[in-house]
Amino acid sequence: MIETVLHRILVKADKLEETDKTYVKAKALGLHIPEMDDRKRAQAGVDKGVVVSIGPTAFRDFGAESPIKVGDYIAYARFAGKVLTDPATEEDFVILNDEDVVCIFKD
């Protein structure tokens, strides 16, 4: 389990093969795109995901309550944060600084 500290936000980033039109079309055709450095770079460029955890001091420097909550679908600065793998579940997450959150997608 990853515990968020200070002004950090833990996000479950969208998977490239579920959001990128090229990957979606290839999957629909039954094609498999192998894991390569280009694909890893492309995944690093994904800039949307679901908030999993919020650090206790997030957004306090801005003098406001946190505008986001766990479960919100957000966009964040492209190539921001650090990719982490949860040792318990082997799932990948992105940990961001609070200032890297760009917007919240509402219904």
Side-chain angles (χ1 to χ4, degrees):
M1 180 178 164
I2 300 172
E3 183 177 336
T4 313
V5 297
L6 300 174
H7 57 279
R8 306 289 199 281
I9 298 164
L10 189 67
V11 175
K12 179 68 176 160
D14 288 348
K15 292 197 179 290
L16 181 66
E17 50 276 337
E18 295 172 2
T19 57
D20 184 88
K21 291 178 183 180
T22 303
Y23 285 93
V24 170
K25 285 180 184 178
K27 188 176 180 181
L29 293 171
L31 300 174
H32 173 71
I33 301 174
E35 188 72 32
M36 296 172 25
D37 287 339
D38 289 344
R39 186 173 177 184
K40 289 179 183 178
R41 269 194 294 277
Q43 179 64 46
V46 171
D47 59 357
K48 295 179 189 84
V50 176
V51 176
V52 175
S53 176
I54 303 169
T57 62
F59 299 101
R60 288 207 181 148
D61 288 347
F62 303 110
E65 292 292 317
S66 176
I68 63 172
K69 61 185 181 308
V70 172
D72 280 347
Y73 186 61
I74 64 166
Y76 50 90
R78 189 169 287 245
F79 299 108
K82 177 173 178 54
V83 176
L84 301 171
T85 302
D86 187 334
T89 64
E90 300 288 321
E91 285 186 285
D92 288 335
F93 295 90
V94 177
I95 191 136
L96 307 165
N97 289 328
D98 55 3
E99 64 194 21
D100 291 327
V101 175
V102 176
C103 70
I104 304 167
F105 294 101
K106 298 286 185 175
D107 294 333

